[in-house]
Amino acid sequence: MNPTPLPSNRSFGWVFVVFFSLVAAYGWWRGGTWYRWPLGLGVLTLACTLLAPALLTPFNRAWMKFGDILGRIVSPVVLGLIFFGMFAPIAIGMRLAGRDALKRSFDPAMRSYWNERSPPGPDPTGMPNQF
């Protein structure tokens, strides 16, 4: 598996400058005073982003590693919730109702399971020169 390439340190820095600024502004919006620690972190991140972006490399790597770990945990959980919360109940309901949408039931008396189409298919001249 190839490692995910890191974004540039400057783009990483700008994202966190905006994030820390929004957190500080939220404090001003809610209570009338700026949250000092996010404002300080925003100023420090801004200085590093503009003057020495190489200082952000370890934080950039740690953030990407955190995102990778979070993705490995959250994706299966969300997919499992979707499957067991939506598809499984629908399938159980269809089985209880006796519906077989794929017509998978075995019938030994049938000669073939082929379904004849009427009309037999698309017009062969309808899609010339596809490629």
Side-chain angles (χ1 to χ4, degrees), residues 82-122:
I82 290 171
F83 180 80
F84 290 110
M86 188 169 70
F87 293 118
I90 291 172
I92 292 169
M94 287 176 68
R95 286 183 183 170
L96 289 175
R99 175 139 187 240
D100 186 16
L102 296 177
K103 298 181 177 78
R104 296 174 300 143
S105 58
F106 179 70
D107 185 5
M110 287 183 70
R111 208 175 57 136
S112 172
Y113 287 98
W114 184 264
N115 293 327
E116 294 292 331
R117 288 184 55 169
S118 177

Side-chain angles (χ1 to χ4, degrees), residues 49-79:
T49 301
L50 294 176
L51 303 174
L55 293 175
L56 297 174
T57 300
F59 300 107
N60 195 354
R61 282 193 182 122
W63 184 252
M64 291 300 289
K65 182 60 92 175
F66 173 70
D68 185 42
I69 292 169
L70 195 62
R72 289 175 189 261
I73 295 170
V74 171
S75 292
V77 169
V78 169
L79 288 173

